[in-house]
Amino acid sequence: MERQSKANSNTWQAWHYKAACSVLAVCLLAACKTSAGGAGGSGAELMKSEEAYFASVLDHTFRFNTLSAPVKIDLKGPQKEMRAKAQLKIICDDRIQLSVQPFLGIEVFRIELTNDSVKILDRMNKRYLAESYGEMKGKTNIDFNFHNLQSLFTNNIFIPGERRLSSKQLRRFRITKDSGAGNLKIKDQTGMFYTFTTGKEEELLSTSINDRHENHTLTWDYSDFQMIEKQRFPFKMKAGLTSDRKTQGTVTLTFSTPEIDRPLKTDFTIPSGYTRVTFSQIIKSLDLQ
């Protein structure tokens, strides 16, 4: 019994490491260095075809007040793989909450991101994190932007570090397109490049974020589009992180019966007896440095 108990404990700890490592890497590195600033475009007068194309891309913006869905998570790292079930809740421009429940609906940890902070509840180790993005930036060199991450989760294009996107901002993008697809590219003030790739119907199929030397790349691909309340939404998203041309890991999110604009309740009550830790401690314990 003692050996079995120890084995079960090791299994839970191994699972927790895999889940936390991958989810944190995707969620936090997704918005790496997304500070405000514009670039792109030659300044020349844009052709009407480009204006029509940009307008069509904006017409595909997924609009919602709330979004909730059961999500199957498939994580693959260089040496680790795992699967888990989770519940995703998004209140537009307010918060994103992910509850990971791998076994029989038992929550292992919860992540909540808001406009100004990130919180993590680690039920396995009875600890929690609550830090502002300012605190995280000072320790990790990450300019974290909530609205950019929300756009990644909802299949929308965005301008780095900004909250809204309108037709007036067309000139900030460099547009290339052919009969099969189109690309909208923009650079922020830190030198990060963002490429949004669209399909034949101007729907967003992929978002790619690169550093200026292309040493690190985050790709976020969308597929299996289905209708939700008369809007097309990708039921499958695959995020991949590459460093020095080597794949560091991928996470695939498969949505099941997503719902929009339904009343949502979110909670982040911290149980008594939990120890508060810092983001630096989380990173160190997960070997993400």
Side-chain angles (χ1 to χ4, degrees), residues 127-186:
R127 61 181 183 173
Y128 73 97
L129 174 145
E131 289 194 12
S132 69
Y133 298 138
E135 291 173 322
M136 291 170 57
K137 178 182 176 181
K139 298 171 184 176
T140 64
N141 249 351
I142 294 176
D143 285 335
F144 194 81
N145 182 277
F146 170 83
H147 300 286
N148 296 165
L149 183 57
Q150 176 179 269
S151 294
L152 287 175
F153 272 107
T154 53
N155 188 224
N156 290 326
I157 68 172
F158 58 87
I159 288 184
E162 296 194 10
R163 180 170 180 153
R164 292 281 185 264
L165 178 63
S166 70
S167 58
K168 296 179 181 179
Q169 295 166 312
L170 168 61
R171 295 178 184 274
R172 298 179 65 176
F173 291 89
R174 184 172 73 252
I175 295 176
T176 58
K177 66 188 203 61
D178 55 35
S179 58
N183 289 320
L184 300 97
K185 297 184 178 181
I186 191 169

Side-chain angles (χ1 to χ4, degrees), residues 21-161:
C21 178
S22 300
V23 173
L24 283 173
V26 172
C27 287
L28 299 181
L29 295 179
C32 179
K33 296 185 183 300
T34 54
S35 62
S42 62
E45 183 175 353
L46 295 167
M47 298 176 60
K48 288 185 178 180
S49 60
E50 291 184 334
E51 294 177 349
Y53 166 71
F54 192 66
S56 180
V57 171
L58 292 183
D59 283 343
H60 283 84
T61 297
F62 187 74
R63 296 173 173 83
F64 69 101
N65 294 312
T66 66
L67 169 66
S68 64
V71 180
K72 184 178 72 174
I73 304 175
D74 290 280
L75 301 164
K76 293 184 179 181
Q79 297 179 341
K80 299 179 176 70
E81 294 186 16
M82 62 80 61
R83 291 184 176 182
K85 294 181 179 179
Q87 183 70 31
L88 176 68
K89 297 180 180 180
I90 303 178
I91 300 176
C92 187
D93 295 333
D94 183 70
R95 67 194 60 232
I96 299 171
Q97 190 174 97
L98 184 68
S99 173
V100 180
Q101 306 159 358
F103 304 110
L104 302 175
I106 301 173
E107 184 179 67
V108 174
F109 67 90
R110 182 177 300 191
I111 298 174
E112 182 174 272
L113 303 113
T114 64
N115 282 285
D116 57 7
S117 66
V118 56
K119 293 183 286 188
I120 300 173
L121 191 64
D122 177 357
R123 296 193 183 277
M124 287 299 300
N125 295 300
K126 293 186 176 181
R127 61 181 183 173
Y128 73 97
L129 174 145
E131 289 194 12
S132 69
Y133 298 138
E135 291 173 322
M136 291 170 57
K137 178 182 176 181
K139 298 171 184 176
T140 64
N141 249 351
I142 294 176
D143 285 335
F144 194 81
N145 182 277
F146 170 83
H147 300 286
N148 296 165
L149 183 57
Q150 176 179 269
S151 294
L152 287 175
F153 272 107
T154 53
N155 188 224
N156 290 326
I157 68 172
F158 58 87
I159 288 184

